[in-house]
Amino acid sequence: MPMKGVFMNKILSITSLLMFHASTCFAQEAYDLGEIYVSAGFQDININKTGSSVKVLQSDELKTNVFDAVNLLDAQSGIAMSSSGGVGSQTGIRLRGLSQSYVAVRVDGVDISDPTGTQNSYDFGGIMTSGFDQIEILKGSQSAIYGSEAIGGVINFKTNNSKTIGNNTETNITLGSNNTVTANIKLTQVEDSGSYALSINNMTTEGYSAKSDNDETDPYSKTEVRLVIDRNINEQLTLGATALYSEEEIDYDGFNHEFDHIDRTRSAGSIYASFDSGSITNKIKRSFSNTDRYDRNGWNKSFIGSRDVWNYTGQTIFNGANVTFGYEESTEEADIDGQIKDYKETAVISEVNYALGKNSDISLAARRTSSKNYGDDTTYRLAAINRHQDELTSRLVLSSGFRAPSLYELFDSYYGNSTFTPETSLNAEIGLEKKLNETSKLSATIFNNTVDNLIEFNNDTFAYEQYNGSMKTSGLELSSNLKVSDKFNLNANYTYTKAETGDVKAVRVPKHDIVLNIKNQFSENFYSLLSVKVAKDIEDTVWPSNVQMPDYEVVDVSFTYDMNDKSSVYFKVQNLADEKYETIKGYNTGGRQFFAGIRASF
């Protein structure tokens, strides 16, 4: 059956299921929806009113993982991280079995993926949690909202999410193994008329050898500045802007491990105006990002990638539904050693959110993307949530996605092919969440995602080719957050993932992934956190085929003492048992490491 026929049959099946799913809502009693808002649509929405699977990491949790964003993300259900060495080394994500080229990344609403890569993707090496108020993990195909690359999901980093009126200053300093030093300061001001947040972050480390066949160190350093500001000019007009600038120096182990070195700068930002015109709320936004990296010993040395995006959205209420519509235009350019390639795409977007009674919500989003370079694609997302009695919530999602061929895949003189068309996907999932009390809950999600029209590298022809085959990922995510007693909390995640292209297993994806976090409150101001990560049944590539990787178990432990309600000291041991393991074949993970720090706010 053609793809469109399959899609329509699934639309009809899921619609019938959604109507049954919603039919019980009108006789139910509502309960508190909370006040967490996420970017799961064209307009921010309460997390308990969206059918999409969203995990939110908030400020308090981020403060306990100052520079260790990789381990923090790796501990979430459905996520597997892999690094080619220590902090700052090239680091990738697998979200529900799909690699980083299928994961869209936004920092303060701006796409900061690198257009000069073989595929558009974001390198998570060196990402720090310091200065962020919220990290959102949207799972499943989100292309109807976010466009290309969002087949597996989206990671949103937000610098300012505070609604507390007043001024606040936060500082943090951490010292640790391998002469690691991190420091950050964040200034926040929130008023009725607007807000701003300025975050300045710095990290240096001597590191350790990235590869296991030598023992020279691979140092890393990074300085990053982020600014988010908005101002209500009057009751009808709001202006805002964001800015990001970072500089990095990265030593890595390639063909010449003693001299392999990358200098990388990133700059990104946006400006927007939001204004009311009668019954329509309008928003015009321009955003840009630029990545400039110089690889001292690479085959190609200079990589300069840029992106420029214009966006308009209008939002109104029509027959009780919240309706968003808009238009988007983006241009990407890749300059590799002076060879410049670019393409432009346009998109028409829409989303309808409708409340079916007090306890059920449904949304339908659509995007029509067009490019003279790779053709057209239409994506959809249908999502529903129902808040049942007894604090039980169910979610249903059917969504499609696409990944546009990268500039490298289209235009590289040897490896590319200008006739490539987008990869496409179809995702379905169902989830249940049971709230046990104000501090405890259980959740389960079953997911299935199929990616067609794959663009892959052929090891025989040494070129990219487009296949008729499919990549399929499916699995189960289980999560629990339990307050066992006043002094003891247990959080546990288990993910089962089956990810294959044909009969070839996806690499760096554990079939079984278990994470336990145990928090013990010794006293009112002193507590410990024990984290256990277990990964089983993993493969990686050793050219030209896959090899089995050893299972591993990693234990981290930290202790925090609150000196008062404004300042704390902490001590952390990573890999307490000094486990010898790899997430990428042949690359080190550093062994046992120690860190201590102090944080304060005033």
Side-chain angles (χ1 to χ4, degrees), residues 208-229:
Y208 50 84
S209 178
K211 293 189 73 172
S212 54
D213 60 4
N214 65 81
D215 57 6
E216 50 81 40
T217 61
D218 289 311
Y220 172 76
S221 66
K222 178 179 183 178
T223 299
E224 181 174 271
V225 180
R226 298 191 307 274
L227 173 67
V228 179
I229 186 170

Side-chain angles (χ1 to χ4, degrees), residues 108-297:
D108 295 322
V110 180
D111 184 349
I112 58 171
S113 60
D114 186 356
T116 67
T118 51
Q119 293 86 34
N120 281 6
S121 63
Y122 177 71
D123 180 4
F124 284 83
I127 186 72
M128 296 181 283
T129 64
S130 53
F132 287 114
D133 277 354
Q134 186 165 297
I135 299 176
E136 302 167 358
I137 304 166
L138 281 69
K139 302 174 185 178
S141 294
Q142 306 289 335
S143 288
I145 306 297
Y146 286 91
S148 181
E149 285 89 58
I151 283 178
V154 182
I155 311 292
N156 281 319
F157 296 87
K158 294 185 175 181
T159 299
N160 187 20
N161 212 44
S162 177
K163 300 295 186 292
T164 304
I165 300 295
N167 299 320
N168 188 53
T169 300
E170 298 176 353
T171 61
N172 197 310
I173 297 175
T174 303
L175 307 175
S177 296
N178 307 313
N179 288 326
T180 299
V181 180
T182 72
N184 79 284
I185 182 170
K186 182 180 180 182
L187 310 175
T188 305
Q189 183 182 66
V190 180
E191 301 174 344
D192 290 333
S193 59
S195 66
Y196 81 85
L198 173 66
S199 179
I200 304 172
N201 311 282
N202 181 263
M203 172 193 293
T204 60
T205 180
E206 289 185 1
Y208 50 84
S209 178
K211 293 189 73 172
S212 54
D213 60 4
N214 65 81
D215 57 6
E216 50 81 40
T217 61
D218 289 311
Y220 172 76
S221 66
K222 178 179 183 178
T223 299
E224 181 174 271
V225 180
R226 298 191 307 274
L227 173 67
V228 179
I229 186 170
D230 63 82
R231 183 63 56 184
N232 300 323
I233 305 303
N234 52 46
E235 292 184 357
Q236 287 76 39
L237 176 63
T238 299
L239 301 179
T242 70
L244 177 150
Y245 181 79
S246 68
E247 293 182 348
E248 297 170 274
E249 291 192 23
I250 309 160
D251 276 23
Y252 70 100
D253 284 347
F255 294 108
N256 188 337
H257 64 82
E258 293 182 356
F259 303 103
D260 289 328
H261 179 90
I262 292 175
D263 294 304
R264 179 168 62 194
T265 62
R266 285 193 180 107
S267 57
S270 66
I271 55 174
Y272 73 86
S274 178
F275 56 96
D276 291 336
S277 58
S279 61
I280 299 177
T281 300
N282 306 274
K283 185 175 182 179
I284 299 174
K285 178 180 176 181
R286 183 191 179 186
S287 63
F288 76 91
S289 62
N290 186 86
T291 303
D292 187 343
R293 57 188 169 97
Y294 185 83
D295 189 341
R296 183 182 300 168
N297 287 313

